[in-house]
Amino acid sequence: MTAPGGVRATARILARGDGRGGTSLPVLEGEGPLAVRRTRGSGAEARVLLVGAMSGPLGGDHFTVTAEAVQGARLRVGSAAATLALPGQDKAGARYDVRLAVADDAELHWLPEQLISANGSDLQVTTRADLAPTARLVLREEQVLGRSGEEPGRLTSRLAVRIGGRAVLDQELACGPGAPGGWDGPAGLAGHRAVGQVVVVRPSFATRPPTARTAGEGAAVMPLAGPAVLVTAVAPDALRLRRLLDEALASLDRD
């Protein structure tokens, strides 16, 4: 549970096609530790950075970010730095909720930097993406368990994707102290300290789905029951994890 004394903060991004081949941002707002900044885009794409104005989330904090792409928008959202989950003074858990929505003929690339679970922290992350039938999405999540040389905190991460109201993915990963047994065993992370996934949704996958395969040592490509594919990877560190995910993502364009 989130402690009553923790920080509550929200950020909201709304992108809309401007009718001239570009993307406007009629809503771009954040508060407290969640600041949002528009950066230089490319072509029809608008780009936004999440900028952490404070450390966190700390124990007891509850952050919420929503991003919506409508009416032909092309939106890319990243972050200026990694997110560091830290323990609070009262040892309470923290929450970080991400809500994504993509309309027909719109596209969203959700590409934040890594989430680092520091020793003693307790963070629950929930990411939900709701897409229209012809929406397009690239969603990347990367978690690093502990800073250099330290044991991780507890991290629970749930990722759910719906297309046209139908669930195509709903998975949860729990790691660190208090997590169900086996999370670090051969059927789990097998001693690795970086784990990540990329979900790619393209209407073309409905007729030409990617093939299921391994993608380098520690990565796999798995078609989902819809015009979507899931790439998962484990690695010894964040650098290797990013490389595995990038290589697997690039391979989808060659299918």
Side-chain angles (χ1 to χ4, degrees), residues 168-191:
V168 300
L169 177 67
D170 194 337
Q171 68 175 24
E172 183 172 287
L173 174 68
C175 304
W183 69 268
D184 201 23
L189 301 188

Side-chain angles (χ1 to χ4, degrees), residues 25-221:
L25 294 170
V27 178
L28 190 64
E29 57 190 28
E31 60 184 15
L34 296 176
V36 287
R37 301 286 185 268
R38 181 166 191 166
T39 62
R40 184 181 298 274
S42 175
E45 183 181 77
R47 297 189 178 186
V48 174
L49 274 183
L50 291 167
V51 180
M54 298 165 53
S55 296
L58 305 175
D61 291 351
H62 185 182
F63 297 171
T64 302
V65 179
T66 65
E68 185 176 5
V70 301
Q71 299 177 358
R74 305 291 182 266
L75 174 63
R76 180 181 295 260
V77 182
S79 59
T83 297
L84 179 61
L86 294 166
Q89 291 184 349
D90 55 9
K91 305 299 182 182
R95 288 178 57 188
Y96 200 131
D97 295 327
V98 177
R99 302 289 181 263
L100 309 176
V102 192
D104 281 317
D105 192 33
E107 182 172 349
L108 172 61
H109 287 227
W110 180 261
L111 303 169
E113 294 302 311
Q114 296 92 353
L115 168 63
I116 302 172
S117 174
N119 182 254
S121 65
D122 184 354
L123 177 64
Q124 179 178 337
V125 181
T126 303
T127 302
R128 300 183 187 274
D130 286 285
L131 282 69
T134 63
R136 294 179 296 280
L137 173 73
V138 178
L139 185 161
R140 183 183 70 210
E141 288 191 341
E142 298 169 310
Q143 291 98 27
V144 179
L145 305 181
R147 293 168 291 191
S148 179
E150 84 173 357
E151 291 298 310
R154 177 166 183 174
L155 175 64
T156 303
S157 176
R158 183 177 179 184
L159 173 60
V161 179
R162 296 171 62 91
I163 302 175
R166 182 168 64 95
V168 300
L169 177 67
D170 194 337
Q171 68 175 24
E172 183 172 287
L173 174 68
C175 304
W183 69 268
D184 201 23
L189 301 188
H192 292 95
R193 284 298 176 262
V195 57
Q197 47 274 325
V198 177
V199 178
V200 182
V201 179
R202 297 176 185 169
S204 62
F205 287 165
T207 54
R208 300 191 309 277
T211 57
R213 61 185 184 273
T214 58
E217 185 176 352
V221 176

Side-chain angles (χ1 to χ4, degrees), residues 214-246:
T214 58
E217 185 176 352
V221 176
M222 296 172 288
L224 301 175
V229 65
L230 173 67
V231 178
T232 60
V234 294
D237 55 51
L239 182 62
R240 176 60 179 164
L241 177 68
R242 178 66 61 85
R243 186 178 299 122
L244 283 170
L245 293 175
D246 285 350

